[in-house]
């Protein structure tokens, strides 16, 4: 067995860079240090190897096939994970017993249903487990016996144990319960987006009434229908063997989510008006199997999408009654939170806006980034908590329900003048008390809070200039485990909070990116760990401080381990505009301080809200290797976590509110100055590139600051934010009908006249994220402005994330050529 003490997994070199106060929120104590940090390799490398673009952009199987979707087995004695099949997109499952000495063995296809799943559910007494495999429900008892509950080609979802140990699950929006003792399966309730059937109505109007009097057949038929309806109603009320009457929510409605109490006495459901597709939202696909052009359906544009408000309904499973829950008890439900924005835009039009109270559109917190349900029942079934958000993105509420009054009771409000984050929204109940725990950014950083239903204010449980995520509560309410970047913004370790003493203990010291999953018996942690120089693998440790770390898998290829890779140093670049520095990766060539000033490239990561200057393995692994290739050839390369990036607190995230492309380019300018002053870089030989949000930044830099870079490559870039999607864009820029100023201030197409330096635009044509139309419109704009220093490369079969190695190679050959010719 390969056993590594924590300090031997990676070696971390730390040197002091400069002194500066980096506290973002006055209420938080400073923890991050302004240090230069780098990870050194732990394998023997071959310094004679020279990287090539052909190798870097080849099918990534050559790097190794890292574990994916790992989870604990039902008995906590083994873990399961997926691994990509060589040369294929198929994933196979592997089983790794904790007492094994290898990477594990493939799980036979005939035994896949026995694995459990990452979302295994426990009964209240923890004697039963349930999970879904290929759309069917399975249970396992305390003796390890597995029973299949459903066997169907129809998908079943969301297994849940009731307090009486019945198991419920749903098929579509019909809920079934299974008595694990008798095996009886019953329909619990069916949710219908239809109008409720009505009893035959008495004839209305002169002709109908006369028809009843004159034609005996019609009168008898009317009586028969009425009597049959009454008989059916009486039968269902009196005979317990029949399924209950369905719950009807009206035609043209769509169910957003629903959740049943562990006592099976109430169901909470959110509905909204069904929204038909917009026929304009299509994307031409020119390379098809038939040879024809296909019109692929794609997402709404933010300019066109209008979210439908949701209705929250409490349904009694005892008598079938429905009780709409009003949002009027939520503080701020009728505030005009965008009054200042509307006034500014009205003034620009020569108009005057008069603010007034409005009824805001509200619904469940169901952002794409967030996987847990926004409805959380206490395990006693006595209470339910709901996380709600305003569709203007400025408020998040946690509320409970007064079942007697059939009303929402607000417990916590998080308001943000910019936008409430779509991350850091985990919440739940303590098991042994009517107390909530949740994450909130209200102090400026994501931290843990608790709120007793009997208390007036929430209690803050963690504090500091760091971000808390992935809170995991133990069954005995003794500990909350979490992940955080306490010591450095780029170093993520596992911690736990002692809920009795309120003390925090650090569990891992691996100096990279470490994620965790607590075992079912809550005695062990499954770790997924990586560094800048080493992709993810699985590790094991006891769930206690200073425990030994055992490596469970080693899936990195021998070919990759031999590469003489340059470890980027994480440096804190002083900012001209904020107290906090801009943490950035810098790749140095050998002897970079010797000789004439060097060429340099600044890479702009995508997504905006993403952290790339950390010490973990990057999702941009091709770019990481490309930057090493550039460093081998004498370039200095910088990768900045510009303002808007993840990991640095609320103020860093929201700096771009209503002005995308302004703070980020200011940070790039500080990056260029730092390279010139500290890394022997020639100011006149610096280029930039990036994809998606990074492509947008390349546009903005070359258009608005034409002397900053000598060349730039914009890959799958946004040129006009009004054409991007609603969930992402409306957070940052509101919507075009309310805030056109923000869109015109933030969209590159309005600044294209500033282009003076060579620009490469690379555009995939079947990109259903950033539409090819973005590039087409900008290119036409550049043509009409008679610009000469740009060229466009199109990729007919590629989506937003390229799939073909040949496309990756073509793209990066062009980027490399651009820099070689112009820097």
């Amino acid at each position: 067995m390969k056993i590594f003490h924590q300090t031997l997994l990676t070696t971390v070199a730390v040197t002091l860079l400069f002194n500066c106060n980096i506290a973002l929120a006055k209420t938080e104590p400073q923890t991050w240090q302004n240090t230069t940090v780098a990870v050194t390799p732990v394998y023997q490398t071959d310094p004679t190897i020279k990287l090539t673009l052909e190798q870097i952009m080849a099918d990534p199987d050559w790097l190794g096939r890292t574990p994916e979707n790992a989870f604990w087995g039902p008995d906590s004695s083994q873990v399961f994970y997926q691994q990509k099949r060589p040369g294929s997109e198929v994933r196979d499952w592997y089983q790794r017993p904790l007492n094994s000495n290898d990477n594990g063995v493939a799980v036979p296809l005939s035994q896949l249903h026995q694995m459990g799943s990452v979302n295994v559910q426990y009964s209240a007494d923890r004697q039963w487990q349930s999970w879904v495999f290929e759309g069917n429900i399975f249970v396992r008892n305390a003796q390890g016996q597995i029973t299949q509950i459903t066997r169907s080609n129809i998908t079943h979802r969301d297994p849940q144990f009731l307090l009486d140990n019945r198991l419920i699950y749903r098929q579509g929006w019909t809920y079934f319960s299974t008595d694990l003792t008798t095996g009886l399966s019953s329909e619990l309730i069916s949710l219908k987006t239809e109008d409720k059937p009505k009893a035959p109505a008495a004839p209305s109007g002169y002709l109908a009434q006369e028809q009843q009097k004159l034609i005996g057949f019609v009168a008898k038929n009317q009586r028969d229908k009425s009597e049959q309806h009454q008989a059916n109603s009486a039968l269902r009320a009196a005979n317990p063997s029949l399924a209950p009457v369905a719950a009807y929510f009206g035609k043209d409605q769509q169910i957003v989510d629903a959740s049943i109490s562990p006592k099976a006495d109430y169901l909470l459901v959110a509905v909204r008006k069904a929204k038909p597709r917009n026929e304009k939202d299509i994307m031409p696909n020119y390379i098809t199997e038939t040879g024809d052009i296909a019109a692929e359906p794609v997402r709404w544009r933010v300019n066109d999408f209008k979210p439908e408000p949701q209705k929250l309904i409490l349904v009694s499973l005892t008598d079938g009654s429905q009780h709409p829950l009003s949002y009027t008890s939520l503080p701020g439900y009728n505030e005009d939170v965008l009054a200042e924005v509307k006034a500014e835009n009205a003034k620009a039009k020569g108009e005057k806006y008069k603010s007034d109270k409005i009824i805001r559109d509200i619904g469940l917190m169901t952002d794409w980034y967030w996987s847990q349900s926004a409805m959380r029942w206490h395990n006693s079934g006595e209470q339910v908590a709901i996380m709600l958000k305003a569709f203007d993105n400025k408020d998040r509420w946690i509320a409970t329900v007064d079942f007697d009054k059939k009303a929402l009771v607000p417990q916590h409000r998080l308001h943000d003048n910019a936008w409430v984050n779509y991350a850091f929204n985990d919440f739940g109940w303590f098991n042994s008390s009517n107390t909530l725990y949740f994450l909130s950014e209200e102090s400026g950083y994501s931290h843990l809070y608790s709120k007793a239903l009997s208390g007036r204010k929430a209690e803050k449980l963690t504090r500091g200039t760091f971000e808390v995520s992935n809170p995991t509560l133990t069954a005995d309410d003794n500990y909350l485990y979490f992940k955080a970047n306490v010591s450095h913004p780029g170093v993520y370790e596992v911690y736990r909070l002692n809920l009795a003493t309120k003390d925090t203990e650090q569990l891992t010291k691996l100096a990279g990116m470490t994620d965790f999953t607590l075992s079912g018996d809550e005695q062990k942690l499954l770790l997924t760990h990586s560094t800048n120089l080493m992709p993810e693998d699985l590790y094991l440790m006891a769930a206690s401080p200073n425990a030994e770390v055992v490596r469970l898998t080693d899936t990195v290829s021998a070919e990759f381990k031999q590469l003489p890779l340059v470890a980027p140093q994480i440096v804190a670049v002083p900012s001209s505009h904020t107290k906090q520095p801009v943490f950035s990766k810098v790749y140095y060539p050998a002897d970079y301080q010797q000789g004439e000033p060097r060429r340099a490239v600044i890479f702009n990561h995508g997504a905006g809200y993403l952290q790339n200057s950390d010490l973990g393995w990057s999702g941009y692994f091709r770019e990481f290797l490309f930057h090493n290739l550039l460093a081998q050839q004498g370039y200095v390369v910088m990768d900045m976590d510009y303002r808007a990036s993840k990991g640095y607190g609320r103020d860093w995230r929201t700096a771009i509110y209503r002005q995308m492309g302004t703070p980020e380019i200011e940070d790039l300018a500080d990056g260029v100055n730092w390279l010139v002053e500290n890394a022997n870089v020639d100011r006149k030989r610096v280029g930039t590139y990036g994809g998606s949000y990074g492509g947008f930044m390349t546009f903005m830099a070359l258009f608005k600051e034409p002397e900053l870079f000598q060349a730039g490559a914009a890959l799958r870039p946004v040129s006009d934010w009004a054409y991007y999607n609603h969930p992402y864009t409306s957070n940052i820029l509101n919507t075009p009908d309310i805030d056109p100023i923000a869109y015109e201030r933030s969209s590159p197409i309005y600044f294209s006249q500033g282009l003076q330096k060579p620009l490469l635009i690379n555009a995939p044509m079947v990109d259903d994220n950033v539409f090819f139309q973005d590039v087409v419109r900008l290119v036409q704009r550049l043509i009409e402005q008679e610009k000469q220093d740009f060229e466009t490369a199109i990729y007919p079969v590629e989506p937003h994330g390229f799939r073909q190695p040949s496309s990756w190679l073509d793209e990066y050959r062009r980027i490399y050529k651009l820099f070689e010719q112009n820097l």
Side-chain angles (χ1 to χ4, degrees):
M1 182 178 293
K2 300 174 183 177
I3 299 178
F4 298 77
H5 291 284
Q6 293 174 335
T7 54
L8 298 181
L9 284 171
T10 54
T11 303
V12 182
V14 180
T15 56
L16 185 64
L17 182 65
F18 63 93
N19 293 318
C20 167
N21 177 14
I22 62 170
L24 272 180
K26 295 180 180 178
T27 58
E28 298 293 356
Q30 177 179 333
T31 56
W32 286 335
Q33 301 298 312
N34 289 315
T35 54
T36 297
V37 182
V39 176
T40 57
V42 294
Y43 293 104
Q44 186 66 43
T45 61
D46 183 349
T48 65
I49 296 176
K50 298 297 181 184
L51 289 169
T52 66
L53 283 174
E54 289 77 10
Q55 179 186 30
I56 292 170
M57 302 302 160
D59 186 305
D61 278 358
W62 73 272
L63 298 169
R65 294 169 293 113
T66 59
E68 302 172 6
N69 304 315
F71 66 91
W72 283 101
D75 60 358
S76 300
S77 68
Q78 56 194 330
V79 297
F80 294 93
Y81 68 90
Q82 282 184 298
Q83 194 172 30
K84 182 179 178 295
R85 189 178 295 176
S88 169
E89 290 304 311
V90 174
R91 265 64 177 169
D92 296 308
W93 282 103
Y94 287 81
Q95 176 185 24
R96 173 54 162 93
L98 302 187
N99 58 4
S100 173
N101 292 319
D102 54 30
N103 283 339
V105 296
V107 180
L109 296 179
S110 61
Q111 297 176 18
L112 290 178
H113 65 286
Q114 301 175 10
M115 295 188 304
S117 83
V118 67
N119 293 316
V120 67
Q121 300 296 306
Y122 288 87
S123 61
D125 58 10
R126 298 187 75 83
Q127 296 300 300
W128 291 88
Q129 300 168 338
S130 182
W131 62 90
V132 179
F133 171 73
E134 293 294 312
N136 283 302
I137 307 295
F138 292 80
V139 295
R140 181 181 190 271
N141 64 17
Q143 291 72 45
Q145 180 182 359
I146 296 174
T147 303
Q148 184 168 356
I149 302 300
T150 66
R151 188 179 185 186
S152 168
N153 289 321
I154 301 173
T155 298
H156 302 80
R157 308 176 188 274
D158 301 339
Q160 172 190 346
F161 288 97
L162 301 178
L163 291 180
D164 58 11
N165 273 358
R166 278 186 298 163
L167 178 73
I168 64 170
Y169 54 89
R170 67 181 177 92
Q171 177 185 313
W173 287 109
T174 298
Y175 287 83
F176 297 89
S177 70
T178 297
D179 188 315
L180 298 177
T181 304
T182 66
L184 175 65
S185 182
S186 307
E187 183 177 317
L188 194 60
I189 190 170
S190 183
L191 312 183
K192 303 283 190 182
T193 51
E194 305 167 7
D195 289 337
K196 184 176 182 179
K198 297 178 181 179
S204 61
Y206 175 78
L207 294 181
Q209 292 172 357
E210 290 305 297
Q211 192 83 327
Q212 290 283 323
K213 287 192 294 184
L214 296 174
I215 308 298
F217 173 80
V218 173
K220 182 178 183 302
N221 192 44
Q222 174 72 17
R223 287 194 302 272
D224 287 347
K225 287 182 179 179
S226 179
E227 290 173 358
Q228 185 63 49
H229 178 81
Q230 293 173 4
N232 286 339
S233 298
L235 175 62
R236 289 195 171 276
N239 194 317
S241 71
L242 299 179
V245 176
Y248 293 89
F249 299 98
K251 65 179 181 180
D252 300 327
Q253 294 293 309
Q254 177 183 359
I255 296 172
V256 178
D257 198 5
S259 184
I260 292 179
S261 160
K263 293 170 64 177
D265 53 353
Y266 285 109
L267 174 141
L268 199 61
V269 60
V271 299
R272 67 183 169 205
K273 185 177 180 180
K275 201 174 184 70
R277 281 203 58 82
N278 188 336
E279 294 183 357
K280 296 184 297 183
D281 296 322
I282 61 168
M283 174 183 63
N285 184 354
Y286 291 92
I287 308 295
T288 63
E289 293 180 359
T290 65
D292 298 322
I293 298 174
E296 309 284 358
V298 288
R299 58 156 173 82
W300 295 76
R301 297 174 297 188
V302 64
N303 182 71
D304 304 322
F305 183 78
K306 306 299 178 189
E308 290 292 337
Q310 299 174 12
K311 293 185 289 187
L312 195 60
I313 301 170
L314 183 67
V315 180
S316 170
L317 296 182
T318 304
D319 59 18
S321 59
Q322 296 186 18
H323 308 274
L325 300 178
S326 171
Y327 297 132
T328 58
S329 63
L330 301 177
Y333 81 96
N334 60 352
E335 290 180 7
D336 190 359
V337 295
L338 284 166
E340 291 186 9
V341 170
K342 295 172 183 175
E344 180 185 346
N345 280 273
K347 184 178 179 181
K349 299 175 184 177
E351 302 170 356
K352 188 174 183 180
Y353 176 74
K354 182 180 179 181
S355 179
D356 199 0
K357 289 186 175 181
I358 61 171
I359 304 300
R360 300 165 71 187
D361 289 336
I362 294 172
L364 296 183
M365 174 69 78
T366 53
D367 279 311
W368 59 271
Y369 189 90
W370 199 53
S371 58
Q372 79 167 79
S373 172
M375 306 175 184
R376 302 297 299 271
W377 289 91
H378 192 277
N379 57 15
S380 68
E382 298 292 338
Q383 258 302 345
V384 63
I386 309 111
M387 184 170 282
L388 300 159
K389 71 168 185 177
F391 291 166
D392 55 41
N393 309 306
K394 303 294 186 284
D395 274 289
R396 183 196 81 179
W397 297 273
I398 300 175
T400 53
V401 175
D402 185 323
F403 294 109
D404 294 330
K405 297 180 180 179
K406 306 297 189 288
L408 290 178
V409 180
Q411 299 294 338
H412 184 265
R413 177 190 185 186
L414 175 62
H415 178 79
D416 197 309
N417 289 331
W419 76 93
V420 173
N421 201 344
Y422 49 73
F424 307 130
N425 291 308
D426 303 66
F427 77 114
W429 291 95
F430 288 103
N431 296 298
S432 56
S433 65
N434 283 333
T435 303
L436 292 158
Y437 69 87
F438 56 89
L439 292 177
S440 174
E441 275 190 318
E442 60 199 75
S443 71
Y445 296 84
S446 170
H447 279 292
L448 277 165
Y449 292 77
S450 66
K451 170 65 169 62
L453 299 195
S454 58
R456 297 185 61 185
K457 292 185 63 177
E459 178 186 1
K460 191 173 185 183
L461 301 177
T462 58
R463 60 188 69 248
T465 51
F466 56 87
E467 305 272 49
V468 172
S469 62
N470 193 26
T472 303
L473 179 68
T474 56
D476 58 11
D477 285 350
N478 284 341
Y479 295 101
L480 265 168
Y481 289 80
F482 61 90
K483 167 183 161 184
N485 54 348
V486 175
S487 62
H488 184 279
V491 176
Y492 286 84
E493 305 286 3
V494 182
Y495 299 81
R496 72 178 182 186
L497 174 69
N498 185 314
L499 290 162
T501 65
K502 301 298 190 293
D503 294 329
T504 297
E505 301 173 295
Q506 182 172 349
L507 301 185
T508 63
K509 297 179 181 177
L510 302 181
M513 177 64 71
T514 306
D515 289 282
F516 75 96
T517 305
L518 186 64
S519 61
D521 62 12
E522 301 185 345
Q523 300 302 305
K524 300 175 284 292
L525 294 175
L526 173 63
L527 306 177
T528 304
H529 173 71
S530 68
T531 70
N532 285 162
L533 294 177
M534 196 55 55
E536 293 178 340
D537 261 310
L538 301 179
Y539 299 80
L540 170 72
M541 69 178 293
S544 58
N546 302 314
E548 243 180 4
V549 174
V550 178
R551 186 166 190 167
L552 295 180
T553 62
D554 188 353
T555 59
V556 182
S557 71
E559 184 178 6
F560 176 81
K561 291 174 183 177
Q562 289 184 327
L563 295 180
L565 298 175
V566 174
Q569 293 188 14
I570 311 298
V571 303
V573 175
S575 170
S576 300
H577 301 85
T578 71
K579 291 182 179 180
Q580 184 177 355
V582 187
F583 286 90
S584 308
K585 285 179 180 174
V586 180
Y587 299 75
Y588 295 101
D591 302 323
Y592 69 96
Q593 294 286 16
Q594 307 301 314
E596 66 178 17
R598 301 300 183 108
R599 299 175 290 178
V601 169
I602 294 184
F603 170 68
N604 309 311
H605 69 68
Y609 193 58
L610 177 144
Q611 186 173 11
N612 204 43
S613 292
D614 56 58
L615 271 74
W617 182 248
S618 175
Y620 293 98
F621 62 89
R622 293 181 180 86
E623 287 78 0
F624 164 74
L625 294 169
F626 179 57
H627 299 163
N628 265 270
L629 180 150
L630 292 178
Q632 281 187 351
Q633 298 186 15
Y635 286 81
V636 179
V637 182
M638 175 175 277
D639 178 352
M640 306 189 77
D641 273 344
Y642 49 82
R643 276 173 287 171
S645 298
K646 188 176 183 181
Y648 305 93
R650 180 264 174 200
D651 291 351
W652 201 255
R653 170 177 66 83
T654 62
I656 60 169
Y657 178 57
R658 303 187 66 224
Q659 55 170 0
M660 297 168 81
T662 296
E664 309 97 298
I665 308 310
E666 292 172 348
D667 294 342
L668 295 186
D670 286 334
V672 171
N673 290 337
W674 189 93
L675 290 171
V676 171
E677 295 167 6
N678 296 275
N680 191 29
V681 164
D682 183 348
R683 187 180 297 277
K684 294 298 184 182
R685 302 177 73 195
V686 184
T688 190
Y689 84 105
S692 194
Y693 198 98
F696 151 75
M697 284 180 55
T698 299
F699 279 158
M700 292 297 266
L702 267 62
F703 295 169
K704 294 185 69 177
E705 298 291 339
E707 295 303 320
L708 188 59
F709 297 108
Q710 305 311 303
L715 324 176
R716 46 200 174 274
V718 174
S719 67
D720 189 340
W721 287 108
Y723 284 74
Y724 198 55
N725 69 32
H726 180 274
Y728 180 89
T729 319
S730 66
N731 281 321
I732 307 170
L733 301 180
N734 303 308
T735 54
D737 58 323
I738 290 176
D739 198 1
I741 286 176
Y743 283 80
E744 294 169 19
R745 183 188 291 153
S746 304
S747 296
I749 199 166
Y750 292 97
F751 303 96
S752 57
Q753 68 276 5
L755 179 65
Q756 297 179 18
K757 301 296 173 60
L759 168 63
L760 169 66
I761 307 172
N762 286 1
M765 293 183 69
V766 286
D767 188 338
D768 58 0
N769 182 11
V770 178
F771 297 156
F772 182 60
Q773 184 181 18
D774 267 71
V775 165
V776 172
R777 293 178 70 242
L778 181 70
V779 166
Q780 179 61 27
R781 179 91 166 145
L782 293 171
I783 291 170
E784 292 177 359
Q785 291 170 337
E786 300 182 0
K787 297 296 180 180
Q788 300 181 57
D789 287 334
F790 74 94
E791 63 179 37
T792 307
I794 61 172
Y795 297 88
V797 302
E798 294 298 354
H800 195 63
F802 283 13
R803 296 172 297 194
Q804 302 296 316
S806 56
S807 299
W808 282 108
L809 179 59
D810 181 87
E811 179 174 60
Y812 274 79
R813 278 175 170 167
R814 293 175 188 273
I815 297 169
Y816 179 72
K817 180 180 178 181
L818 176 77
F819 293 149
E820 285 290 285
Q821 289 181 341
N822 294 285
L823 304 184

